[in-house]
Amino acid sequence: MKHITQKLAERAAHNALRSLQQRHFSIDFYSNDYIGFSTDIAISRRIQTLTNSDLAHGSTGSRLLSGNLPIFAETEQYIADFQHTEAALLYNSGYDANVGFFSCIVGRGDVILYDSYSHASIRDGISLSLANAYKFKHNDLEDLEKLLKKFATDQRTVLIATETVFSMDGDSPDLRRLVALAQQYGAYVAVDEAHAIGVFGPNGSGLIQDLGLENDIFARIVTFGKGLGAHGAAVVASAEVVQYLVNFSRSFIYTTAMSPHSVATIRSGYEQLSQTEAISQLHHNIAYFKTQIAQQQLQGFIASDSAIQAMVVPGNERVKALAAQLQAQGIGVLPILAPTVPAGEERLRICLHSFNTEKEIKKLVNLLTDKFAN
């Protein structure tokens, strides 16, 4: 087809053509495995204990057919208790959860107001819904309030969608003020906690629980491919919302459930959260990194207290070249290119981990300082 050839040629012309690669760097500053749970030995042992029974290798069907094994309900209850909510519903991925939730949760004529930097999965879910959708400027609550004044009426439901930690910038909205605005105008709030689980909150429970806002949020999407080092996701909300999703969320209904082994990995990761010192070590490393870049007076970093530290280096060619130079020194840092981010806002996305050493962090900062000297 002509359009396929044309689209690929356009990406190549902008130095933004994607390809699958196997990456092996001696120092990891690029994975989302923030607290090292993907290789945690204690988690591996827990998984073996949970799967040493007669668990099947596959779920054999959707949850509504043959795939609703006891380990699913047990894990969902554990997640709900951990996240201080009534119920939880597992999905096969964070993408599935966001698409499944936002595509069905409000009806025709209702309104979704979403942050302009919302993840593609949120936007795709919204595009499949029957609601009217309007974006507000990133983390701009004045802009959000303008939309609330316009659309929040007794005749329609208004849902605000945002993230607690944004994946490309590592920043966060003023969640307390956002919740207050929602309550003032009678709106509901749904948040994606993908990059906050395992990083913020009591035992890594997320930023919403860190702020004590769990009773003020309509629904949270918690994903397990980042801090938990696993795969999959869950919507945590009231029992009524979960029952609604079981009946109307198409990405939940019409798919084979994840394997019992995957569910055991999620459960084991949650159990390990309350016993790990990795979270405090991660925050030590975040503070150390920020101290180092301040001392070196490195410019271009987006303000962030999360594990994601983004250094804006405009231009696809320029940021790709810088990443390649770092990679040649064994530093695993990846460039984020347009159109993933807006043109002119291309950046190095630096992911910090509990297992990074101060020596590794200092090496990265020194290399960046050398590249930007003069």
Side-chain angles (χ1 to χ4, degrees):
M1 296 182 184
K2 290 183 178 179
H3 79 279
I4 294 176
T5 303
Q6 180 181 349
K7 288 290 187 181
L8 288 172
E10 289 174 358
R11 280 287 170 90
H14 289 91
N15 203 13
L17 188 66
R18 298 183 178 101
S19 62
L20 295 175
Q21 301 178 41
Q22 292 187 3
R23 296 185 168 96
H24 300 286
F25 303 113
S26 58
I27 302 174
D28 179 1
F29 284 116
Y30 70 100
S31 80
N32 292 326
D33 188 22
Y34 301 127
I35 52 176
F37 270 24
S38 70
T39 56
D40 188 279
I41 295 174
I43 291 175
S44 297
R45 290 172 180 157
R46 282 194 176 91
I47 295 168
Q48 288 177 350
T49 300
L50 286 171
T51 56
N52 272 342
S53 61
D54 295 328
L55 277 178
H57 297 299
S59 62
T60 77
S62 74
R63 293 280 299 280
L64 290 168
L65 295 177
S66 59
N68 193 34
L69 304 175
I71 193 171
F72 284 83
E74 293 164 3
T75 300
E76 285 168 339
Q77 188 58 58
Y78 191 96
I79 293 170
D81 292 342
F82 190 95
Q83 302 289 174
H84 294 177
T85 190
E86 284 187 351
L89 186 66
L90 287 167
Y91 283 78
N92 288 14
S93 71
Y95 188 93
D96 284 345
N98 275 327
V99 168
F101 176 83
F102 286 103
S103 62
C104 76
I105 200 63
V106 294
R108 188 184 302 275
D110 292 331
V111 172
I112 301 177
L113 307 178
Y114 64 97
D115 190 290
S116 61
Y117 281 19
S118 292
H119 192 268
S121 57
I122 296 175
R123 298 165 74 103
D124 288 353
I126 291 171
S127 71
L128 291 171
S129 76
L130 299 176
N132 300 313
Y134 305 91
K135 62 184 176 184
F136 56 92
K137 296 175 185 177
H138 177 53
N139 285 343
D140 188 333
L141 299 189
E142 283 74 21
D143 196 40
L144 171 61
E145 186 169 17
K146 289 178 184 178
L147 294 173
L148 286 168
K149 288 178 178 178
K150 184 176 182 179
F151 295 110
T153 69
D154 294 336
Q155 285 72 46
R156 57 168 68 96
T157 296
V158 176
L159 177 71
I160 301 168
T162 190
E163 302 178 32
T164 55
V165 177
F166 284 87
S167 61
M168 290 296 106
D169 288 26
D171 58 348
S172 302
D174 183 341
L175 290 163
R176 286 196 176 96
R177 187 169 163 228
L178 188 149
V179 165
L181 276 175
Q183 292 173 343
Q184 179 181 346
Y185 289 94
Y188 298 86
V189 179
V191 297
D192 185 325
E193 287 252 66
H195 294 276
I197 298 298
V199 178
F200 293 106
N203 297 322
S205 56
L207 198 52
I208 292 300
Q209 282 173 242
D210 193 37
L211 298 173
L213 295 173
E214 53 265 46
N215 294 327
D216 301 307
I217 301 295
F218 179 71
R220 284 171 279 165
I221 295 86
V222 294
T223 67
F224 312 130
K226 282 78 176 175
L228 239 62
H231 189 69
V235 174
V236 298
S238 69
E240 182 181 51
V241 168
V242 166
Q243 185 178 35
Y244 178 87
L245 294 173
V246 169
N247 281 273
F248 295 100
S249 177
R250 294 169 71 88
S251 65
F252 172 83
I253 297 167
Y254 298 108
T255 191
T256 298
M258 69 178 77
S259 73
H261 184 278
S262 294
V263 182
T265 305
I266 294 166
R267 170 66 179 270
S268 300
Y270 262 104
E271 290 177 351
Q272 184 65 9
L273 279 175
S274 60
Q275 301 179 36
T276 185
E277 296 179 1
I279 299 172
S280 60
Q281 182 61 45
L282 170 62
H283 284 277
H284 169 83
N285 287 348
I286 294 169
Y288 182 77
F289 177 83
K290 294 179 70 172
T291 297
Q292 291 297 306
I293 63 173
Q295 289 178 353
Q296 297 294 343
Q297 298 183 329
L298 277 170
Q299 304 298 310
F301 278 93
I302 297 170
S304 167
D305 293 321
S306 77
I308 302 166
Q309 301 290 321
M311 183 182 193
V312 176
V313 183
N316 280 352
E317 292 187 11
R318 186 182 176 207
V319 73
K320 284 180 74 173
L322 177 58
Q325 292 169 7
L326 294 171
Q327 291 166 12
Q329 299 294 320
I331 302 286
V333 173
L334 299 183
I336 305 298
L337 311 175
T340 300
V341 293
E345 296 182 21
E346 297 84 358
R347 78 277 308 271
L348 290 178
R349 183 177 182 267
I350 299 166
C351 292
L352 300 172
H353 310 90
S354 59
F355 52 80
N356 290 132
T357 65
E358 290 187 0
K359 182 179 179 180
E360 291 172 345
I361 293 170
K362 197 168 185 63
K363 179 179 179 179
L364 170 60
V365 173
N366 287 343
L367 285 170
L368 287 173
T369 302
D370 290 344
K371 299 301 178 185
F372 286 94
N374 301 322

